[in-house]
């Protein structure tokens, strides 16, 4: 058989590509051909329409809305979350085989084997147990998908802006000593604003402080897009293209009012629903041509902006100020407790919804961190990233120390987990958790929680939202950061070995005990 598929995850970094590879390998092992379109952070290369037309079935494994899902209408389709494809792709291939066989049997018999009429068969196909069918997705799942759409588009801006600013501070530290203070007036430029100083000094390629200032200005400019992009693409997830204008405008207003990322989230949802409502109006044929160009953006932007300025902006700003003050005042045991909780969340479902809540909390906090190198938001990001590295490293260590406790496939996965953990790809531990959740997940949570608490206690910081070991130069107090991650991984490995060893001993002793009783 020939299958096609689409994979996507909120960050578009790990799950998207791991799921695609897993599906292609599972289809190949079953004797089929499969082509998967990855809708990730690097963009997507749409499937050839001829390939779709020739396909017998479709597997959609996604946590974001699938782009152009109508392409697959009429074909047997399985619609699941991306994590299911990573952990259980052979079962999905077997299920699509069954659906295709049933559809062929119905066509040959002239009547549906399931007892339903062909006209009543869903255009997007059937779903597996626990799967999601597009028109039956729960409200909570839709809200999470819309929010993650905004976050996935925001993260590259966080990465570019945050890393550029961090590099600027590194150069300033070399140029000015331990203070690491960037002299932003060393190199300034005229942006046409009378309040902004004109070019004070000619850029000097040999001056580290000039380079530091240049990196800071560029990074700051990238950071300025965070909230508008978050808001705009939440609205895009809800209303498609009509949501972009009110979403971006609402996010810019939220930013100017000091409402931060919370304001961006609110304006994103508001703009999306307003734009979708207006775009759905039944208007005379003569007005249909101007609706998407003029009426929808005009009215939706007006309503969203007015609501933010007149009603929502000040309360959200007050909430953001309270949250910022709480984070700034968080020291000692409170900071360690927050790190512990974030670590437990990162280690719980390894890239799933709980993990993504913690990660989103860390990345959106970077938008409010400012230029201070010891801002609490930077400590939170370090705790989140460090905790996310623990599970794959812990399982890599466990498979290296006690390979007999694991299958050959798990031993191979364990070797790959060294690189995945170093790259802050928690999903590398998913195959282990899917095979033995009762032992792997508790061990992962304990080690990750320990790492998160230690990182907060040590005061480590990170402006990079991703990268793991490869962004170590951008991590404040990096030696203690690595110590915390290694300690957490060692605890996870020890617990996994102990739990699996105990289970194996119990299996060996049970038959012997039964034989003694029978004798």
């Amino acid at each position: 058989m020939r299958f096609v598929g689409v994979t996507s995850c909120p960050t578009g970094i790990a799950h998207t590509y791991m799921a695609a590879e897993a599906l292609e390998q599972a289809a190949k092992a079953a004797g089929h051909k499969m082509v998967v379109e990855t809708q990730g952070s690097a963009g997507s290369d749409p499937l050839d329409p001829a390939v779709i037309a020739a396909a017998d079935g479709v597997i959609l494994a996604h946590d974001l809305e699938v782009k152009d899902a109508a392409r697959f209408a009429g074909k047997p389709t399985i619609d699941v979350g991306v994590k299911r494809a990573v952990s259980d792709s052979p079962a999905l291939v077997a299920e699509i085989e069954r659906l295709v066989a049933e559809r062929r049997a119905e066509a040959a018999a002239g009547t549906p084997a399931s007892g339903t009429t062909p006209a009543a068969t869903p255009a997007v196909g059937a779903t597996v147990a626990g799967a999601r069918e597009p028109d039956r997705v729960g409200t909570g799942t839709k809200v999470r998908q819309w929010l993650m759409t905004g976050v996935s588009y925001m993260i590259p801006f966080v990465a570019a802006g945050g890393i550029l600013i961090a590099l600027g501070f590194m150069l300033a530290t070399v140029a000015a000593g331990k203070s690491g203070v960037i002299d932003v007036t060393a190199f300034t430029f005229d942006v046409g604003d009378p309040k902004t100083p004109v070019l004070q000094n000619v850029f000097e390629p040999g001056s580290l402080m000039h380079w530091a200032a240049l990196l800071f200005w560029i990074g700051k400019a990238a950071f300025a897009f965070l909230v508008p992009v978050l808001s705009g693409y939440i609205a895009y997830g809800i209303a498609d293209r009509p949501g972009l204008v009110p979403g971006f405008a609402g996010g810019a207003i939220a930013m100017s009012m000091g409402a931060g990322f919370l304001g961006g989230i609110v304006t994103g949802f508001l703009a999306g629903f307003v734009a979708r409502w207006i775009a759905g109006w039944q208007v005379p044929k003569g007005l249909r041509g101007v609706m998407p160009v003029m009426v929808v953006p005009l009215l939706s932007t007006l309503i969203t902006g007015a609501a933010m300025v007149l009603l929502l902006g000040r309360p959200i700003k007050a909430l953001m100020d309270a949250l910022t003050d709480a984070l700034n005042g968080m020291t000692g045991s409170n900071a360690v407790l927050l790190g512990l909780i974030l670590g437990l969340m990162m280690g719980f479902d390894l890239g799933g919804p709980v993990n993504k809540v913690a990660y989103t909390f860390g990345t959106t906090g970077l938008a409010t961190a400012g230029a201070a190198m010891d801002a609490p938001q930077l400590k939170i990001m370090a705790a989140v990233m460090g905790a996310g590295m623990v599970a794959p490293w812990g399982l890599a260590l466990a498979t290296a120390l006690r390979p007999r406790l694991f299958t050959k496939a798990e031993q191979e996965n364990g070797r790959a987990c060294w690189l995945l953990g170093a790259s802050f790809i928690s999903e590398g531990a998913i195959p282990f958790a899917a095979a033995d959740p009762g032992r792997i997940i508790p061990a992962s949570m304990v080690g990750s929680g320990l790492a998160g608490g230690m990182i907060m206690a040590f005061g480590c910081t990170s402006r990079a939202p991703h990268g793991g070991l490869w962004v170590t130069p951008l991590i404040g107090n990096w030696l203690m950061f690595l110590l915390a991650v290694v300690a957490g991984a060692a605890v996870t490995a020890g617990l996994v070995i102990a739990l699996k060893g105990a289970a194996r001993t119990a299996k060996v002793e049970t038959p012997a005990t039964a034989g003694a009783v029978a004798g």
Side-chain angles (χ1 to χ4, degrees):
M1 295 180 182
R2 295 183 180 183
F3 304 131
V4 293
V6 175
T7 60
S8 71
C9 68
T11 57
I13 297 173
H15 269 115
T16 300
Y17 303 100
M18 292 175 68
E21 183 178 2
L23 288 172
E24 289 173 346
Q25 292 297 325
K28 183 178 179 180
H32 308 301
K33 292 182 179 180
M34 184 166 191
V35 181
V36 180
E37 175 185 317
T38 53
Q39 296 182 356
S41 58
S44 61
D45 186 9
L47 291 166
D48 188 325
V51 173
I52 298 176
D56 298 299
V58 183
I59 298 178
L60 305 178
H62 61 109
D63 286 336
L64 301 179
E65 296 286 343
V66 174
K67 300 172 185 175
D68 265 343
R71 294 173 290 169
F72 311 109
K75 292 186 177 293
T77 302
I78 292 177
D79 188 352
V80 297
V82 68
K83 189 175 178 180
R84 176 75 185 280
V86 175
S87 62
D88 201 15
S89 53
L92 295 181
V93 171
E95 183 63 21
I96 195 64
E97 285 179 0
R98 184 186 64 80
L99 289 178
V100 172
E102 287 181 357
R103 182 69 63 88
R104 288 176 175 176
E106 291 174 4
T111 57
S114 60
T116 60
T117 63
T121 302
V124 190
T127 60
V128 299
R132 306 188 316 269
E133 195 165 341
D135 58 346
R136 298 179 184 175
V137 175
T139 301
T141 300
K142 280 186 174 293
V143 169
R144 180 171 63 86
Q145 287 181 347
W146 295 329
L147 177 61
M148 288 298 102
T149 298
V151 170
S152 68
Y153 280 98
M154 181 193 74
I155 286 175
F157 289 86
V158 176
I163 291 175
L164 285 171
I165 290 175
L167 289 172
F169 277 105
M170 288 176 59
L171 292 180
T173 300
V174 175
K178 294 183 179 180
S179 62
V181 176
I182 298 177
D183 181 8
V184 294
T185 64
F187 172 67
T188 57
F189 49 91
D190 183 7
V191 293
D193 186 345
K195 297 179 181 179
T196 301
V198 296
L199 183 65
Q200 294 182 343
N201 299 309
V202 176
F203 181 73
E204 300 176 6
S207 171
L208 288 180
M209 189 57 74
H210 279 214
W211 278 105
L214 179 64
L215 293 175
F216 175 81
W217 285 118
I218 298 173
K220 186 178 178 182
F223 254 12
F225 286 94
L226 296 187
V227 175
V229 167
L230 174 66
S231 175
Y233 280 99
I234 290 174
Y236 173 78
I238 296 171
D240 212 317
R241 289 179 61 182
L244 284 175
V245 174
F248 272 88
I253 293 171
M255 195 73 171
S256 65
M257 295 185 70
F261 72 90
L262 288 180
I265 292 173
V266 171
T267 56
F269 280 100
L270 177 61
F273 286 121
V274 169
R276 190 165 74 171
W277 170 58
I278 296 174
W281 287 356
Q282 298 298 320
V283 297
K285 291 183 179 180
L287 295 178
R288 290 178 186 174
V290 298
M291 283 292 290
V293 178
M294 185 174 68
V295 177
V296 175
L298 173 64
L299 294 182
S300 59
T301 302
L302 174 62
I303 293 172
T304 302
M308 192 64 190
V309 172
L310 302 177
L311 300 175
L312 303 173
R314 289 183 178 85
I316 297 174
K317 182 183 184 302
L319 182 59
M320 277 295 298
D321 291 342
L323 177 61
T324 301
D325 291 341
L327 290 177
N328 288 332
M330 188 170 289
T331 58
S333 58
N334 289 334
V336 174
L337 178 60
L338 177 60
L340 173 66
I341 293 172
L342 290 172
L344 292 172
M345 294 172 69
M346 290 298 293
F348 173 64
D349 53 359
L350 305 169
V354 176
N355 174 287
K356 283 298 183 284
V357 168
Y359 181 68
T360 303
F361 180 61
T363 53
T364 52
L366 291 180
T368 61
M373 286 302 291
D374 60 346
Q377 294 90 337
L378 305 184
K379 298 176 183 178
I380 290 171
M381 189 67 247
V384 167
M385 185 158 63
M389 298 167 62
V390 165
W393 267 6
L395 287 160
L397 181 60
T399 55
L401 294 177
R402 293 291 300 277
R404 293 184 180 180
L405 295 177
F406 302 90
T407 66
K408 290 292 184 182
E410 287 175 333
Q411 292 174 32
E412 290 293 330
N413 287 334
R415 284 188 280 272
C417 277
W418 288 114
L419 179 59
L420 295 174
S423 305
F424 179 36
I425 299 177
S426 307
E427 291 86 344
I430 287 178
F432 297 92
D436 192 4
R439 297 177 182 85
I440 301 300
I441 291 177
S444 169
M445 291 178 66
V446 172
S448 299
L450 173 65
M454 290 177 65
I455 289 170
M456 290 294 283
F458 294 147
C460 306
T461 60
S462 174
R463 278 196 178 273
H466 217 285
L469 194 64
W470 315 115
V471 294
T472 300
L474 304 179
I475 295 175
N477 201 4
W478 64 270
L479 188 60
M480 302 308 291
F481 174 87
L482 291 179
L483 175 63
V485 175
V486 170
V491 168
T492 293
L495 287 174
V496 168
I497 290 172
L499 293 172
K500 280 188 167 290
R504 186 175 183 182
T505 301
K507 287 181 179 179
V508 171
E509 289 179 350
T510 300
T513 304
V517 172

